Amino acid sequence: EAGVAQSPRYKIIEKRQSVAFWCNPISGHATLYWYQQILGQGPKLLIQFQNNGVVDDSQLPKDRFSAERLKGVDSTLKIQPAKLEDSAVYLCASSFPGRGKTQYFGPGTRLLVL
Amino acid sequence: TQLLEQSPQFLSIQEGENLTVYCNSSSVFSSLQWYRQEPGEGPVLLVTVVTGGEVKKLKRLTFQFGDARKDSSLHITAAQPGDTGLYLCAGVDNYKLTFGKGTLLTVNP
């Protein structure tokens, strides 16, 4: 069974530029999560989708970050404009819907903002 | 704000040694999970503990959940280089995971 796919794997941009990340969840997983993992820290939830609706975006910096999941499958996370402190690994995870369902993580996109 | 403190932050040992890492929470979650994250990869779930006092074993890994359900430990027996990675604990509330900062383990051959 294919896992969670993410692209690109690495991205280097300059501050104030824009960047977008793509995630394809495991087939059949209605719930999709985006996490930010800064070096030396654990992942922090940015946004959770159930199908194409947002369940929780309380920790998403909405002035610069946006995410969408238009058809309830793939998702994109965008940063515009990027700041130095956005340098991190952006992880996508997916799960079946419901409490206590195991989240499966993709390999992440490593972003460096110069 | 619910916080998870993990210790030690870094651990470097020789192959064959035993080790224990700890996770302490400022509050009670509905359950607690342990993950291992290898370089360049996402975290992979190792175990979920739910009941106070629970002990779970996964080959050479033993997980304990404290009676008060606020602390947990992971013990590895006879560590191998393949155990190298970042060990993360995460508190679970409904769907939401709150992660600690992790313990970075290096097992030297």
Side-chain angles (χ1 to χ4, degrees):
Chain A
E1 179 182 286
V4 177
Q6 291 189 246
S7 68
R9 293 296 308 273
Y10 305 92
K11 190 74 177 179
I12 301 175
I13 62 172
E14 294 188 350
K15 60 183 179 183
R16 291 187 289 274
Q17 287 187 322
S18 302
V19 65
F21 313 126
W22 174 83
C23 173
N24 180 240
I26 292 172
S27 178
H29 282 191
T31 308
L32 186 147
Y33 313 79
W34 283 101
Y35 289 85
Q36 179 193 59
Q37 185 175 21
I38 294 173
L39 185 64
Q41 305 211 3
K44 181 184 82 171
L45 179 68
L46 293 176
I47 189 168
Q48 178 194 346
F49 290 95
Q50 179 79 15
N51 295 307
N52 60 350
V54 175
V55 174
D56 183 351
D57 63 356
S58 58
Q59 298 191 93
L60 187 73
K62 298 180 186 63
D63 58 333
R64 297 184 301 106
F65 286 65
S66 64
E68 60 184 13
R69 194 182 184 200
L70 292 176
K71 296 183 179 179
V73 180
D74 294 3
S75 177
T76 56
L77 177 69
K78 297 179 182 178
I79 308 175
Q80 180 179 6
K83 293 185 174 181
L84 298 178
E85 59 262 35
D86 298 331
S87 294
V89 176
Y90 290 85
L91 294 162
C92 179
S94 70
S95 72
F96 287 112
R99 293 170 59 176
K101 297 300 182 183
T102 299
Q103 295 186 26
Y104 295 87
F105 287 81
T109 295
R110 278 147 190 78
L111 173 68
L112 179 60
V113 182
L114 301 175
Chain B
T1 303
Q2 296 173 311
L3 292 175
L4 285 161
E5 300 280 348
Q6 291 192 245
S7 61
Q9 188 175 358
F10 301 97
L11 187 56
S12 181
I13 62 171
Q14 295 299 122
E15 182 176 2
E17 292 183 357
N18 301 332
L19 67 112
T20 302
V21 298
Y22 301 92
C23 174
N24 294 293
S25 173
S26 60
S27 57
V28 177
F29 291 91
S30 60
S31 63
L32 191 138
Q33 296 181 330
W34 284 93
Y35 291 78
R36 180 169 66 215
Q37 184 175 21
E38 297 185 16
E41 300 297 330
V44 175
L45 179 65
L46 297 174
V47 76
T48 300
V49 286
V50 180
T51 306
E54 187 173 4
V55 177
K56 283 192 173 180
K57 292 192 175 184
L58 184 65
K59 297 184 181 178
R60 294 176 294 100
L61 279 60
T62 302
F63 304 85
Q64 290 189 307
F65 202 17
D67 290 341
R69 298 175 63 240
K70 294 178 68 175
D71 57 281
S72 182
S73 64
L74 160 58
H75 181 80
I76 302 179
T77 303
Q80 300 176 0
D83 296 326
T84 292
L86 179 67
Y87 288 81
L88 294 158
C89 67
V92 183
D93 261 338
N94 294 321
Y95 58 85
K96 190 167 183 175
L97 300 180
T98 301
F99 284 90
K101 292 185 177 182
T103 293
L104 186 60
L105 172 65
T106 303
V107 182
N108 302 297

